[in-house]
Amino acid sequence: MKKLLGIAVALALFAAMMVTAAFAEEQTVINMFYGTDPSGALDSLIAAFEEAYPQYKVNWIEAPANQDTSHDMLVTSLSAGESIYDVFSCNVIWPAEFSQAGYCLAIDRFIEEDDLDLSEYSQGYIDAYTFQGKMWGMPWYGNVGQLYYRSDVITTPPATWDELIDMCKEYVGQGGSTTGYVMQAAQYEGLVCNALEFIGSYGGTVVDGDGNITVNNDGVREALTMMKKIVDSGIMPANFNAFMENECNNMFASGEALFMRNWPGAYATVANPESSKVADNVGVTVLPSGSDGSAATLGGWGWMINRNSENPKAAWDFVKFVTGPEGQKINALVASQPPTYLPLYDDEEVLAANPHFANLRESLEAAVARPVSPIYTAISEIMQINVSKVLLGQMTVEEAVVAMEQQMNESLAEYNK
């Protein structure tokens, strides 16, 4: 009897294994290219996706931690027409480059078929993944510029850049402050992000929706004029052009600065009693307005589908889930990444886990994409040099605008050869 029972159990186990194997063979494997994730959010996302879509199995191919190395690895594979990766994470500044080069799949037909409501996403991020009238990816999590202020000194934050200057002059010295305003003004990408916020707040543009250079306009002139006015007003540190994110964090956390422009991630440092003298007096709001309202440069990541994927529908189901309500909520709860799906800013569970998200929706709604262009790297370098020269008094605003237009058009012509 025992032998018969043992044989029966063995047969049952064998049958179960055969069913599992058969099911595994029926599953479609989605090869995903993404870097490390110490938060564990993506593991949770994959588990939730596979539960919702049991016909799929996600194979995580880990990307290098260095963003530039990851970019180059992707370009090498995609330019060779390989289908190793079905889906890959995408920096918000890559869509124009990748779509122009034919690396990624336009997703408009999937969006239409599934009746996806893009109005529920931050418009700035939809713009970032749109090039020449088509959508090339879906935004996943965001990052936007915000204004931090000393809530023990400033009761009502400034609504305009001129008000910011006036408040700095009036209140510097209170609460141990020694300077008014700090921003990322060193000659690097951070300066471009700050400049684009000023440009957006004055209705200026750098490129249009088709990638044409439009930087020679009054909005850009007004923006650079205001940036120079802030520098000349004396409300910034004398070595303002040496400031990146960390320098701004340190000066604000020490209590020396009344106002700081920085990303949402700065909150974890300046509101932490172990790293900040002003932890209990940190206010966060939208950036001041110019003549055309408030604007915040966006950063962040999304997902794209390899043009040569052998499983485009499976890849789309993954992208739709990860960037949809459930996927973005998991990412917000586990990794504290700001959603680009706006209804989550009304989700009590998300806000309870991330109290600093309270004012983030307004900033996201004011978000502006960095120039969507296949030559973005060149555009950024040109802006860094010329904007820096304006702030240091080495070039007039008009000279900078004319120079940027000429240099950007030259770079674009070289790219199009």
Side-chain angles (χ1 to χ4, degrees), residues 338-347 350-351 357-358 360-361 364:
T340 57
Y341 181 75
L342 297 177
L344 288 177
Y345 290 94
D346 296 321
D347 187 294
V350 169
L351 292 178
F357 280 6
L360 193 55
R361 176 172 182 158
L364 277 170

Side-chain angles (χ1 to χ4, degrees), residues 16-180:
M17 289 172 63
M18 291 298 292
V19 169
T20 301
F23 180 69
E25 287 180 6
E26 292 175 4
Q27 284 183 301
T28 299
V29 175
I30 301 170
N31 290 311
M32 177 197 77
F33 186 73
Y34 187 81
T36 57
D37 179 24
S39 74
L42 196 54
D43 283 323
S44 299
L45 271 168
I46 291 171
F49 170 73
E50 290 179 343
E51 182 177 353
Y53 293 86
Q55 69 269 36
Y56 299 138
K57 179 69 178 176
V58 177
N59 176 38
W60 184 343
I61 302 171
E62 193 168 298
N66 182 284
Q67 176 183 309
D68 292 336
T69 305
S70 177
H71 170 275
D72 293 345
M73 183 180 290
L74 268 176
V75 168
T76 299
S77 175
L78 299 173
S79 63
E82 295 178 346
S83 57
I84 299 172
Y85 318 120
D86 293 299
V87 294
F88 53 89
S89 57
C90 173
N91 189 293
V92 75
I93 63 176
W94 296 351
E97 174 196 354
F98 280 30
S99 61
Q100 187 87 341
Y103 298 158
C104 51
L105 193 67
I107 59 173
D108 302 83
R109 66 183 176 92
F110 294 123
I111 292 171
E112 187 176 346
E113 287 170 3
D114 288 346
D115 197 24
L116 219 60
D117 186 359
L118 297 183
S119 69
E120 294 188 314
Y121 291 79
S122 164
Q123 185 59 47
Y125 281 91
I126 297 301
D127 292 343
Y129 287 91
T130 303
F131 185 64
Q132 295 183 337
K134 294 182 178 181
M135 281 282 289
W136 300 96
M138 284 294 293
W140 184 27
Y141 66 83
N143 211 5
V144 286
Q146 292 187 289
L147 183 71
Y148 290 75
Y149 64 95
R150 286 282 299 280
S151 58
D152 56 329
V153 178
I154 306 298
T155 305
T156 304
T160 67
W161 292 110
D162 281 315
E163 285 184 17
L164 175 84
I165 294 174
D166 292 340
M167 285 187 180
C168 287
K169 290 181 176 179
E170 180 178 355
Y171 294 108
V172 165
Q174 295 189 26
S177 61
T178 60
T179 194

Side-chain angles (χ1 to χ4, degrees), residues 43 153 180 230 246 258 300 354 358 396 410:
D43 283 323
V153 178
I230 290 173
N246 286 340
L258 287 178
N354 302 279
T396 67
E410 287 173 354

Side-chain angles (χ1 to χ4, degrees), residues 77-400:
S77 175
L78 299 173
S79 63
E82 295 178 346
S83 57
I84 299 172
Y85 318 120
D86 293 299
V87 294
F88 53 89
S89 57
C90 173
N91 189 293
V92 75
I93 63 176
W94 296 351
E97 174 196 354
F98 280 30
S99 61
Q100 187 87 341
Y103 298 158
C104 51
L105 193 67
I107 59 173
D108 302 83
R109 66 183 176 92
F110 294 123
I111 292 171
E112 187 176 346
E113 287 170 3
D114 288 346
D115 197 24
L116 219 60
D117 186 359
L118 297 183
S119 69
E120 294 188 314
Y121 291 79
S122 164
Q123 185 59 47
Y125 281 91
I126 297 301
D127 292 343
Y129 287 91
T130 303
F131 185 64
Q132 295 183 337
K134 294 182 178 181
M135 281 282 289
W136 300 96
M138 284 294 293
W140 184 27
Y141 66 83
N143 211 5
V144 286
Q146 292 187 289
L147 183 71
Y148 290 75
Y149 64 95
R150 286 282 299 280
S151 58
D152 56 329
V153 178
I154 306 298
T155 305
T156 304
T160 67
W161 292 110
D162 281 315
E163 285 184 17
L164 175 84
I165 294 174
D166 292 340
M167 285 187 180
C168 287
K169 290 181 176 179
E170 180 178 355
Y171 294 108
V172 165
Q174 295 189 26
S177 61
T178 60
T179 194
Y181 182 57
V182 289
M183 68 179 191
Q184 296 77 53
Q187 190 175 306
Y188 78 119
E189 180 67 16
L191 175 60
V192 176
C193 292
N194 279 255
L196 289 170
E197 287 163 350
F198 281 91
I199 291 170
S201 72
Y202 285 95
T205 61
V206 177
V207 300
D208 65 16
D210 292 322
N212 299 309
I213 304 302
T214 60
V215 72
N216 192 342
N217 61 76
D218 289 341
V220 173
R221 290 183 180 85
E222 291 176 36
L224 297 186
T225 298
M226 177 53 74
M227 293 181 75
K228 179 62 172 166
K229 181 178 180 179
I230 290 173
V231 170
D232 291 345
S233 69
I235 66 171
M236 296 177 68
N239 63 335
F240 71 91
N241 62 318
F243 275 59
M244 298 186 188
E245 282 83 358
N246 286 340
E247 288 78 11
C248 292
N249 272 357
N250 293 339
M251 182 161 273
F252 189 85
S254 70
E256 295 177 74
L258 287 178
F259 296 98
M260 170 181 71
R261 182 273 179 204
N262 219 322
W263 306 99
Y267 187 87
T269 300
V270 300
N272 183 349
E274 295 182 5
S275 57
S276 174
K277 293 181 180 179
V278 298
D280 296 326
N281 299 303
V282 178
V284 188
T285 189
V286 296
L287 289 163
S289 296
S291 59
D292 201 50
S294 176
T297 299
L298 55 80
W301 289 75
W303 289 92
M304 285 182 159
I305 300 173
N306 183 352
R307 188 183 189 92
N308 294 302
S309 170
E310 296 176 0
N311 303 295
K313 180 60 169 65
W316 165 249
D317 285 340
F318 176 81
V319 169
K320 181 179 66 172
F321 181 87
V322 171
T323 63
E326 185 175 351
Q328 289 206 30
K329 182 170 181 176
I330 291 171
N331 205 37
L333 292 175
V334 180
S336 292
Q337 297 286 14
T340 57
Y341 181 75
L342 297 177
L344 288 177
Y345 290 94
D346 296 321
D347 187 294
E348 293 182 2
E349 191 177 1
V350 169
L351 292 178
N354 302 279
H356 60 296
F357 280 6
N359 294 311
L360 193 55
R361 176 172 182 158
E362 192 175 356
S363 294
L364 277 170
E365 289 175 337
V368 291
R370 277 175 269 187
V372 182
S373 170
I375 62 159
Y376 177 76
T377 301
I379 287 174
S380 175
E381 291 174 355
I382 290 166
M383 288 186 70
Q384 290 172 36
I385 294 169
N386 288 281
V387 173
S388 184
K389 285 183 177 180
V390 169
L391 299 186
L392 294 171
Q394 299 170 355
M395 178 181 276
T396 67
V397 168
E398 186 61 28
E399 288 170 342

